[in-house]
């Protein structure tokens, strides 16, 4: 049991590490060494990372891999993916190659609308509130003109401000439900600044609104915040080919494989337990590119899962059909992304990753990321309906196990060859390494 600390954030980085390792680790010296081993040798680069958050002590690395050969609307992409889970990049690359040979991916952005809300309490007559709202609508725009000026130059801004009566759900609860176009920015700061300004205008103007009673003049703003639910900021990505060309392996006919794929997706549409895992596999691809491009994966996750449940039951984000001898597989999902602002200019690797993707607009990035999700799902479901995932998964996991067991390079090479023809299990790997070290 340690004692609490006050003023931790004011300590130097070294003092923080000393305090932390002394109070919370068994071997402070070894822990300090480990923490320092993950510092970047370039002190400016380290400082940059230190400044991203508070109380930074070191960096937690994530591998950055590349999945090449993504043919999207006739352009070839090599997609950077930041992810720790083995087999995700390999699966994406495999699916990319498979579909490159069958015409590639086609994508369309269906909408780019972002949302924010001012949640408030009004005690009084709704008709009066509506009249008041209509009377200040222009002022809401005028008061936020200083915030929208540069966004307007880029073709974005406030799309609509709407008054919503939510009193059926909660007594005296109303909203300003606002929509925005934020072009290449994810737009969180822009939206939140606009909303806070709307809230101020909404509250202050009420005092001088003669038709309001004294009580009605007291509008209580509860909060002003963007919504990560963006059902009109949606992208669609699809692949298709004649069923006869859907040859995944010599062990299964293309017709049977197509049917199994369609049935697996149908199950994910009606069965939430399966849908969650099905969509998790999609997010393996989505999050990896979202992270690599410096976007907010928590926002994406929250929005995507809400969208998957929009019809009242959690369901698959992908769809599949066989029609007139053609197999079609597609995804539709909301992605609120930015390619300017946030980490995009700050983090050198994020900058590089965006360059690798040919510095896409946010609309282009939506399409690339939707494709990564669709490819990932295709790879996962194809394995599931044919060989099962453990075969490929454990092969990829082999290196992690060998590292954990402290195998050297020669041992790793020998065991990778050995496990090309043997089943990978934890026990099997540890026994094989032991056998290599101490042949009986
Ligand atoms: C594992 O990370 C993802 C899968 O479970 C996805 C799926 O089941 O579709 C393989």
């Amino acid at each position: 049991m340690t004692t609490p600390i006050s003023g931790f954030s004011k300590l130097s980085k070294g003092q923080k590490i000393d305090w932390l390792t002394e109070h919370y680790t068994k071997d402070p010296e070894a822990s300090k060494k480990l923490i320092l081993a993950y510092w970047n040798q370039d002190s400016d680069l380290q400082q940059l990372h230190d400044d991203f958050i508070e109380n930074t002590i070191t960096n937690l690395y994530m591998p950055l891999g590349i999945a090449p050969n993504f043919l999207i609307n006739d352009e070839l992409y090599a997609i950077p993916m930041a992810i720790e889970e083995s087999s995700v990049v390999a699966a994406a690359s495999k699916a990319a190659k498979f579909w490159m040979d069958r015409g590639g991916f086609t994508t369309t952005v269906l909408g780019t609308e972002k949302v924010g809300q001012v949640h408030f309490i009004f005690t009084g007559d709704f008709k009066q509130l509506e009249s008041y709202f209509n009377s200040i609508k222009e002022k809401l725009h005028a008061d936020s003109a200083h915030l929208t000026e540069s966004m307007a130059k880029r073709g974005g801004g406030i799309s609509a401000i709407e008054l919503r009566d939510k009193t059926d759900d909660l007594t005296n609860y109303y909203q300003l439900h606002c929509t925005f176009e934020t072009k290449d920015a994810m737009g969180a700061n822009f939206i939140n600044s606009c909303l806070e300004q709307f809230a101020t205008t909404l509250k202050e103007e009420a005092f001088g609104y003669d038709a309001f009673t004294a009580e009605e003049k007291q509008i209580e703003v509860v909060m002003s915040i963007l919504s990560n639910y963006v059902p009109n900021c949606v992208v669609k990505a699809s692949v298709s080919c004649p069923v006869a060309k859907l040859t995944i392996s010599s062990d299964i006919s293309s017709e049977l494989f197509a049917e199994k794929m369609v049935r697996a997706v149908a199950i994910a549409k009606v069965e939430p337990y399966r849908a969650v895992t099905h969509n998790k596999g999609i997010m393996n691809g989505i999050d990896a590119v979202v992270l690599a491009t410096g976007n907010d994966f928590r926002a994406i996750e929250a929005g995507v899962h809400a969208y998957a449940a929009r019809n009242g039951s959690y369901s698959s984000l992908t769809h599949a059909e066989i029609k007139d001898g053609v197999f079609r597989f597609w995804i539709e999902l909301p992605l609120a992304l930015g390619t300017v602002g946030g980490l995009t200019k700050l983090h050198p690797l994020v900058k590089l990753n965006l360059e690798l993707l040919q510095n896409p607009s946010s609309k282009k990035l939506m399409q690339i990321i939707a494709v990564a999700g669709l490819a990932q799902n295709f790879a996962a479901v194809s394995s599931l309906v044919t060989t099962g995932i453990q075969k490929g998964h454990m092969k990829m996991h082999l290196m992690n196990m060998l590292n954990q067991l402290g195998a050297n390079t020669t041992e790793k090479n020998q065991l990778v060859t050995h496990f090309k023809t043997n089943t990978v299990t934890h026990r099997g790997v540890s026994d094989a390494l032991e056998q290599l070290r101490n042949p009986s």
Side-chain angles (χ1 to χ4, degrees), residues 161-198:
I161 309 174
E162 195 188 307
L163 174 68
R164 288 194 175 174
D165 180 350
K166 304 290 287 182
T167 51
D168 279 351
D169 299 327
L170 196 65
T171 312
N172 298 333
Y173 169 38
Y174 298 89
Q175 292 171 351
L176 294 185
H177 182 93
C178 313
T179 49
F180 301 85
E181 170 53 58
T182 60
K183 303 310 277 184
D184 286 335
M186 192 266 189
N189 282 331
F190 168 72
I191 294 173
N192 289 333
S193 300
C194 288
L195 294 171
E196 288 187 6
Q197 180 59 57
F198 298 162

Side-chain angles (χ1 to χ4, degrees), residues 117-333:
Q117 297 169 318
V118 177
H119 305 268
F120 66 95
I121 302 295
F122 172 76
T123 318
D125 179 52
F126 176 62
K127 282 276 165 258
Q128 287 281 31
L129 179 64
E130 209 171 22
S131 306
Y132 167 64
F133 170 69
N134 288 328
S135 78
I136 63 160
K137 215 164 170 187
E138 264 179 37
K139 187 142 178 59
L140 288 169
H141 284 276
D143 286 357
S144 51
H146 64 293
L147 299 167
T148 55
E149 200 183 331
S150 70
M151 187 60 87
K153 279 190 192 134
R154 287 184 269 144
I158 303 159
S159 310
I161 309 174
E162 195 188 307
L163 174 68
R164 288 194 175 174
D165 180 350
K166 304 290 287 182
T167 51
D168 279 351
D169 299 327
L170 196 65
T171 312
N172 298 333
Y173 169 38
Y174 298 89
Q175 292 171 351
L176 294 185
H177 182 93
C178 313
T179 49
F180 301 85
E181 170 53 58
T182 60
K183 303 310 277 184
D184 286 335
M186 192 266 189
N189 282 331
F190 168 72
I191 294 173
N192 289 333
S193 300
C194 288
L195 294 171
E196 288 187 6
Q197 180 59 57
F198 298 162
T200 305
T201 306
L202 176 77
K203 212 169 136 59
E204 285 180 1
E205 291 298 309
F207 292 115
Y209 190 66
D210 292 340
F212 273 169
T213 63
E215 197 179 14
E216 286 171 339
K217 286 183 188 203
Q218 306 294 325
I219 290 179
E220 184 197 334
V221 171
V222 181
M223 58 194 156
S224 311
I225 188 74
L226 98 165
S227 172
N228 291 121
Y229 183 45
V230 280
N232 295 318
C233 183
V234 172
V235 56
K236 182 176 174 182
S238 61
V239 284
S240 68
C241 75
V243 169
K245 294 213 164 133
L246 201 71
T247 318
I248 199 92
S249 93
S250 52
D251 295 339
I252 181 167
S253 75
S254 57
E255 287 76 15
L256 183 58
F257 174 61
E259 275 165 27
K260 279 176 175 272
M261 286 295 290
V262 171
R263 205 170 308 128
V265 174
I267 290 172
K269 284 192 174 203
V270 299
E271 168 53 56
Y273 279 95
R274 172 57 200 149
V276 170
T277 317
H278 180 92
N279 290 348
K280 186 275 181 189
I282 293 171
M283 298 316 284
N284 278 343
I286 305 266
D287 281 342
V289 194
V290 168
L291 253 180
T293 54
N295 275 282
D296 180 345
F297 66 92
R298 288 85 55 207
I300 296 296
E301 284 276 346
V304 165
H305 296 300
Y307 188 78
R310 70 192 180 288
N311 295 325
S313 167
Y314 191 89
S315 183
S316 168
L317 293 161
T318 53
H319 313 269
E321 67 174 18
I322 301 167
K323 214 170 157 189
D324 302 328
V326 174
F327 170 79
R328 241 166 45 86
F329 184 55
W330 71 102
I331 188 167
E332 211 185 277
L333 83 171

Side-chain angles (χ1 to χ4, degrees), residues 85-88 274 277-282 284 376-377 380-381 384 389 393:
E85 184 174 329
S86 41
S87 82
V88 167
R274 172 57 200 149
T277 317
H278 180 92
N279 290 348
K280 186 275 181 189
I282 293 171
N284 278 343
Q376 208 65 48
N377 187 234
V381 179
L384 287 169
I389 57 155
H393 203 82

